[in-house]
Amino acid sequence: MSEIKLNKISRDYGQGIFGVHDVSLEIETGEFMVLLGPSGCGKSTTLRMIAGLEETTSGEISIAGRDVTRLAPRERNVAVVFQSYALYPHMSVRENMRFGMKMRKTPLDEQDARIARAAEVLGLQPYLDRKPAALSGGQRQRVALGRAIVREPDVFLMDEPLSNLDAKLRGEMRQELVRLHRRVGKTTVFVTHDHVEAMTMGDRICIMRNGCIEQVGAPLEVYARPRNTFVAQFLAAPAMNLVPATLTAAAGAVTLSAGPIVGPLPAREAALYAPAAGRALLFGLRAEDILTQPRPGAQPFSAVVTALEALGPENLIVVEAEGQALSARVDRHFLPRIGAEVTLHADLAHMHLFDAASGDALARET
């Protein structure tokens, strides 16, 4: 049985404005599900609807097999961790963690036992008597997590809990949350707009746009097989390169023409994409699949370097050719000067093709 089931849920604000529209999703027991998308896509609204903090205009929500659509938040047995931490500044860490249990009249000895267990899991023992003002951002986030853990909910709901942290601390907290999930084993719904968080934390990711679901799947599966150009470009930085393209089939060969990238497709891709010959297409290639060295099946092309970001372990370069700007993720030792002409190689074994009108992907193997 799915731990959380959303059946065609909508949040209608009136006058044709939907925060969420006809969303259906099943989240398995113990799963870490990430809702991913740009601001305003409906991911936080979906989470708040699961929590009961936002009205469900239509559709049904069930948790652990129980219809909770019209139940108050306190009756759903979920714990929400907010972006702002939402700690009581006049209470100590211990008091913050105790407050919800106290309101539910949990026996005092049980409160103490739960606080002790959560503090051990989160490394909060030295801070239990401190006020939030005396804690770092990461420590405050741990307290917010601890307050959720002591409730012993069926489900954890996390609304961009790492977005207020600096980059280093955000990376550390990602790892801590994954470890915590493995230890606690609770079903978790995690909202973010950060594709790195989604890729590194989620058992599955659900990409949303305009209040609707675009694609659901394991992170690497979605990365390798994006359903459309929106998913292809959103789930990466830099975004997937997209170039208007056509295919020509003649004499048993299939030739690609995509801006500066012109040449025959490898045998596997030729067989796969031959039916699309003559259609208006978009050719897609990720930055890591534009190479600095030749490889069988890779098509060479010339371009001018317009930007370079030296990141230490790798470099990101932007090149321009025939009016098309392309991003490439290259070795750290490849350091061309701005304005230099370079020869790069498009690895067509990892190409994607999309219908130019709809943006939908043409089926491919991976």
Side-chain angles (χ1 to χ4, degrees):
M1 184 194 309
S2 300
E3 183 76 2
I4 303 173
K5 185 173 182 179
L6 311 181
N7 182 24
K8 296 185 177 181
I9 64 169
S10 294
R11 178 64 173 108
D12 185 356
Y13 294 109
Q15 298 181 331
I17 300 172
F18 284 85
V20 171
H21 187 61
D22 207 25
V23 162
S24 293
L25 179 67
E26 295 190 17
I27 302 169
E28 301 302 323
T29 300
E31 186 174 25
F32 198 114
M33 171 65 78
V34 177
L35 304 184
L36 175 68
S39 297
C41 72
K43 56 189 185 295
S44 289
T45 302
T46 300
L47 180 135
R48 291 174 62 84
M49 291 167 73
I50 297 171
L53 302 174
E54 191 88 30
E55 178 189 357
T56 301
T57 312
S58 62
E60 295 85 36
I61 299 172
S62 64
I63 298 176
R66 184 171 62 120
D67 188 344
V68 300
T69 312
R70 304 303 167 200
L71 295 184
R74 66 180 178 274
E75 299 176 282
R76 301 189 182 204
N77 199 26
V78 300
V80 186
V81 180
F82 295 101
Q83 176 181 349
S84 61
Y85 316 142
L87 302 178
Y88 297 108
H90 61 289
M91 293 183 183
S92 67
V93 169
R94 190 190 312 274
E95 291 166 337
N96 265 283
M97 293 172 70
R98 187 187 302 279
F99 183 76
M101 294 186 290
K102 186 177 178 181
M103 292 297 99
R104 287 186 294 277
K105 303 187 186 304
T106 304
L108 186 59
D109 58 346
E110 179 64 18
Q111 294 179 29
D112 290 337
R114 292 187 189 183
I115 290 170
R117 287 195 297 268
E120 180 183 2
V121 168
L122 295 166
L124 289 172
Q125 297 100 323
Y127 313 111
L128 286 173
D129 295 316
R130 293 190 188 182
K131 301 285 179 64
L135 302 176
S136 68
Q139 290 163 349
R140 292 180 196 177
Q141 191 55 270
R142 287 196 198 99
V143 176
L145 289 168
R147 188 174 56 187
I149 289 171
V150 298
R151 288 196 54 191
E152 298 187 349
D154 291 329
V155 171
F156 288 114
L157 305 174
M158 302 186 183
D159 192 2
E160 303 207 47
L162 308 184
S163 60
N164 286 337
L165 305 180
D166 62 51
K168 179 177 181 295
L169 190 53
R170 193 159 58 244
E172 293 172 357
M173 285 300 298
R174 281 202 304 266
Q175 297 173 18
E176 284 198 28
L177 279 173
V178 171
R179 284 195 294 268
L180 175 63
H181 179 254
R182 287 173 181 162
R183 287 189 65 175
V184 177
K186 293 286 187 178
T187 306
T188 300
V189 182
F190 185 97
V191 165
T192 184
H193 62 270
D194 187 324
H195 75 278
V196 175
E197 289 180 7
M199 292 291 294
T200 57
M201 297 175 70
D203 294 321
R204 287 191 300 156
I205 58 178
C206 171
I207 300 181
M208 299 186 68
R209 175 173 60 161
N210 298 332
C212 299
I213 292 176
E214 291 288 333
Q215 189 169 353
V216 181
L220 292 179
E221 172 192 327
V222 176
Y223 189 82
R225 298 184 181 90
R227 184 171 293 171
N228 53 41
T229 54
F230 174 79
V231 174
Q233 292 204 295
F234 192 81
L235 197 62
M240 179 185 284
N241 297 297
L242 292 177
V243 181
T246 56
L247 295 179
T248 304
V254 179
T255 301
L256 169 74
S257 178
I261 303 169
V262 178
L265 296 188
R268 186 186 71 163
E269 282 65 34
L272 183 65
Y273 292 128
R279 290 171 56 180
L281 303 168
L282 289 172
F283 166 81
L285 198 64
R286 296 205 181 275
E288 60 268 27
D289 296 321
I290 295 182
L291 313 173
T292 58
Q293 299 295 325
R295 178 185 296 177
Q299 185 64 40
F301 67 97
S302 296
V304 175
V305 178
T306 59
L308 184 148
E309 296 181 6
L311 302 179
E314 63 184 10
N315 297 328
L316 294 178
I317 65 171
V318 179
V319 299
E320 187 171 325
E322 297 188 19
Q324 297 292 331
L326 300 168
S327 297
R329 192 186 303 274
V330 298
D331 183 86
R332 62 180 175 172
H333 301 297
F334 188 75
L335 288 164
R337 61 178 176 79
I338 304 300
E341 184 170 328
V342 295
T343 298
L344 299 172
H345 305 264
D347 189 353
L348 301 185
H350 293 96
M351 65 181 280
H352 300 259
L353 284 178
F354 304 89
D355 181 81
S358 68
D360 292 338
L362 276 62
R364 63 158 289 133
E365 298 173 352
T366 304

